[in-house]
Amino acid sequence: MPLPPQRARSRVAQAIIARSVPATILYEDDKCLVFRDVAPQAPVHFLVIPKRPIPRISRVGPQDTELLGHLLVVAARTAQAEGLADGYRLVINDGKHGAQSVYHLHLHVLGGRQLGWPPG
């Protein structure tokens, strides 16, 4: 029986971490992986994901504090390495109403042009 679309898409993150699905990797350490989005919404668009599966930002707890801080620091350092000195946007979608399509926590980093507000 095929997996529901949500679960199938969530497994893509694990497959990228395992290198069984190709991705353009920008950074990796023992806690996270950074790679280019396959459907970029800005000239620079990459994702920062924890290696430990966390389905949603709304499901984190106190035990995740250090990891979440690490993801933000890695996002900032990668943005700098990608030349986003004029700024960028960090986005975390959460749940159905937040337009989350992959249920493995991921931070979108978008930049390289003037972004509009409100976003959606």
Side-chain angles (χ1 to χ4, degrees):
M1 174 178 236
L3 290 172
Q6 266 183 349
R7 272 190 78 200
R9 285 190 299 265
S10 298
R11 288 196 174 178
V12 169
Q14 288 302 117
I16 291 170
I17 292 167
R19 301 296 201 279
S20 58
V21 169
T24 303
I25 296 173
L26 302 175
Y27 176 83
E28 180 177 18
D29 63 25
D30 61 322
K31 296 177 185 167
C32 70
L33 186 71
V34 180
F35 56 93
R36 295 205 187 281
D37 195 296
V38 296
Q41 301 300 304
V44 176
H45 185 175
F46 59 86
L47 304 175
V48 182
I49 66 169
K51 288 186 173 178
R52 180 168 51 86
I54 299 172
R56 299 171 59 170
I57 190 69
S58 60
R59 304 266 170 90
V60 299
Q63 72 279 5
D64 300 308
T65 301
E66 182 181 337
L67 176 60
L68 295 172
H70 181 73
L71 297 176
L72 290 172
V73 169
V74 168
R77 288 183 180 160
T78 307
Q80 182 179 24
E82 289 291 301
L84 299 179
D86 290 334
Y88 50 91
R89 180 171 292 159
L90 293 172
V91 177
I92 299 175
N93 299 321
D94 184 72
K96 179 181 175 183
H97 287 181
Q100 186 175 4
S101 59
V102 174
Y103 282 75
H104 183 119
L105 177 66
H106 55 287
L107 288 70
H108 293 264
V109 181
L110 303 106
R113 67 170 166 83
Q114 179 64 57
L115 300 171
W117 194 263

